[in-house]
C-alpha cells in the first residue's frame, strides 16, 4: 500500500513563498512549473514537494537577475555546468555594475547636498519661482556636469 504524496494548493504555495497566484500561473504558462494535479471539476491546481522545490529554485534565480527563459533553460537541464558558471559570472558582473552605478549616484547626491547646504540662495528655495528654483538646482548640480544632471533628475524622481 503506497502513501499518496501530500499536495499543496496553488494559494498555499503562493502564500508560503509570498508570491502571487498570478505569478505562479505565469511560470506554468511558460512551462517552468506544472501542477502535479489539476482538479477537473474545480480547476484547482495542486503541487508536489518536488514542484515546491522547483519554485524555490526559480524564485532564487529570478532574485539573482535571471530571466524566466534563462530560468526555464537552467531548470529543464538545458545548461551544462560550464554554461551555468558562466551565466552566474555574468550576473555577478551585472550586480557589480549596479553597485558601482549606485555608489556614483550616492557620491553625486553627497556633493549636491554639500553645495545646497553651503548655498545662501538655497535658503530661499520655497520663495523662488519654479523657473528660478530649476536654475538654482541646475547650478547646484553644475551645468557642465551632464552626468550630475541626470543623477539629480533620477534622485529627485525616484
Amino acid at each position: 500500500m503506497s502513501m499518496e504524496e501530500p499536495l499543496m494548493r496553488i494559494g498555499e504555495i503562493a502564500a508560503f513563498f509570498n508570491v502571487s497566484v498570478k505569478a505562479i500561473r505565469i511560470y506554468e504558462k511558460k512551462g517552468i512549473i506544472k501542477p502535479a494535479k489539476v482538479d477537473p471539476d474545480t480547476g484547482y491546481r495542486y503541487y508536489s514537494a518536488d514542484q515546491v522545490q522547483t519554485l524555490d529554485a526559480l524564485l532564487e534565480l529570478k532574485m539573482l537577475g535571471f530571466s524566466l527563459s534563462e530560468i526555464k533553460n537552467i531548470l529543464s537541464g538545458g545548461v551544462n555546468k560550464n554554461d551555468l558558471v558562466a551565466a552566474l559570472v555574468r550576473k555577478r558582473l551585472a550586480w557589480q555594475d549596479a553597485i558601482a552605478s549606485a555608489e556614483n549616484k550616492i557620491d553625486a547626491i553627497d556633493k549636491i547636498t554639500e553645495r545646497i547646504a553651503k548655498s545662501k540662495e538655497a535658503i530661499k528655495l520655497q520663495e523662488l519661482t519654479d523657473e528660478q528654483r530649476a536654475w538654482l538646482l541646475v547650478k547646484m548640480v553644475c551645468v557642465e556636469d551632464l552626468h550630475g544632471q541626470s543623477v539629480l533628475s533620477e534622485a529627485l524622481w525616484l
Side-chain angles (χ1 to χ4, degrees), residues 77-102:
V79 173
N80 65 33
K81 179 183 163 188
N82 292 343
D83 291 341
L84 182 57
V85 169
L88 287 163
V89 167
R90 283 193 304 276
K91 292 300 171 199
R92 186 178 195 285
L93 289 170
W95 284 113
Q96 284 178 317
D97 286 348
I99 290 168
S101 174

Side-chain angles (χ1 to χ4, degrees), residues 11 18 38 42 48 54 85-86 118 147 151:
N18 198 21
V38 178
T42 62
S48 68
T54 300
V85 169
K118 288 178 183 170
H147 170 72
V151 169

Side-chain angles (χ1 to χ4, degrees), residues 28-130:
E28 184 186 331
K29 271 197 191 94
K30 298 248 181 216
I32 304 172
I33 184 173
K34 289 189 176 67
K37 181 181 145 196
V38 178
D39 185 306
D41 301 323
T42 62
Y44 285 157
R45 291 159 163 77
Y46 296 91
Y47 297 86
S48 68
D50 285 349
Q51 293 159 319
V52 171
Q53 287 294 93
T54 300
L55 181 61
D56 196 14
L58 180 157
L59 294 171
E60 191 66 32
L61 290 166
K62 194 168 178 286
M63 193 183 70
L64 294 175
F66 286 90
S67 72
L68 289 181
S69 59
E70 288 172 316
I71 293 168
K72 181 181 180 177
N73 202 19
I74 293 166
L75 293 179
S76 67
V79 173
N80 65 33
K81 179 183 163 188
N82 292 343
D83 291 341
L84 182 57
V85 169
L88 287 163
V89 167
R90 283 193 304 276
K91 292 300 171 199
R92 186 178 195 285
L93 289 170
W95 284 113
Q96 284 178 317
D97 286 348
I99 290 168
S101 174
E103 284 172 346
N104 288 336
K105 288 181 174 95
I106 290 167
D107 290 346
I109 288 170
D110 289 345
K111 286 177 187 142
I112 295 164
T113 303
E114 205 177 301
R115 281 189 212 120
I116 291 172
K118 288 178 183 170
S119 166
K120 300 275 186 269
E121 299 163 82
I123 294 165
K124 301 177 284 201
L125 205 54
Q126 292 174 311
E127 298 162 24
L128 303 174
T129 67
D130 289 352

Side-chain angles (χ1 to χ4, degrees), residues 1-6:
M1 189 171 117
S2 72
M3 294 268 302
E4 210 176 296
E5 185 180 12

